[in-house]
Amino acid sequence: MPTLSPEYTVHWARGLDELPVRTFHDIAKLRQEVFVVEQDCVYLDLDGRDLEPTTEQFWVAYDPVVEADHPTESAAERREPTVAATLRVLDEGGREPGLRAIGRVVTCPQHRGKALAAALMEAVLATHGAEPLVLEAQSHLTGWYGRFGFEVAGDEYLEDGIPHTPMRRG
């Protein structure tokens, strides 16, 4: 797994009951800020799949107070950590036994270039690496997903005006 700076920590939860409400709010907000606003894809991000008890949320929390061993704020000024990157894993066992789908992979613009999405992908592989995994990659990222053992598994298609390519591992 990539080594992250101390202010970044990787987390995981299965089902919304295990996920703090504020964290899910921050996850949904980040997905909307990037997919709907930045990428100009008007779609219903909250599609009901997050409510499924087998859906897993992976995220990187950013805590600006933690910086090596020197806090940057006093305890009175301390904020809750925010979500810097996230992805979700869906149970697609109805399509194929053991199949899981990775989706909604997103990093906050202010935190890009810090290997946060790579850390999330490594966390998913540590949890589900022996199982078949699929994803719908934005086509310009197929090489990046290839680093994690994913291979192109179908023809490129347009979704919301953005080229996507189906990929599979295992």
Side-chain angles (χ1 to χ4, degrees):
M1 184 178 298
T3 303
L4 299 179
S5 299
E7 64 269 23
Y8 295 105
T9 53
V10 176
H11 302 268
W12 170 86
R14 177 177 287 131
L16 287 183
D17 291 341
E18 292 184 16
L19 192 61
V21 172
R22 181 177 186 90
T23 299
F24 184 68
H25 169 271
D26 290 350
I27 287 171
K29 182 177 181 222
L30 176 57
R31 290 178 357 193
Q32 291 170 26
E33 286 173 346
V34 173
F35 297 133
V36 177
V37 177
E38 180 183 321
Q39 295 181 356
D40 195 25
C41 298
V42 180
Y43 73 103
L44 188 59
D45 175 57
L46 295 177
D47 58 2
R49 300 294 310 263
D50 295 299
L51 296 171
E52 296 172 6
T54 56
T55 294
E56 299 167 339
Q57 304 287 342
F58 288 78
W59 71 97
V60 175
Y62 170 68
D63 187 344
V65 175
V66 179
E67 185 177 305
D69 292 323
H70 304 91
T72 58
E73 301 175 12
S74 71
E77 298 171 316
R78 185 179 174 97
R79 295 186 42 209
E80 290 294 315
T82 59
V83 173
T86 186
L87 62 78
R88 75 177 180 185
V89 177
L90 302 174
D91 182 346
E92 295 289 348
R95 275 179 33 194
E96 174 186 325
L99 183 65
R100 300 205 180 263
I102 298 171
R104 305 293 205 265
V105 181
V106 61
T107 301
C108 180
Q110 295 86 346
H111 298 281
R112 291 181 184 154
K114 297 176 175 27
L116 304 183
L120 291 173
M121 291 297 292
E122 292 290 344
V124 170
L125 295 179
T127 305
H128 298 294
E131 302 166 30
L133 296 165
V134 294
L135 55 83
E136 305 296 321
Q138 290 188 6
S139 295
H140 71 278
L141 295 171
T142 56
W144 186 81
Y145 286 111
R147 294 179 12 201
F148 303 100
F150 286 86
E151 297 178 349
V152 171
D155 295 331
E156 183 178 74
Y157 63 93
L158 283 180
E159 182 174 325
D160 295 318
I162 298 173
H164 283 71
T165 302
M167 300 188 79
R168 183 180 177 104
R169 182 181 191 274

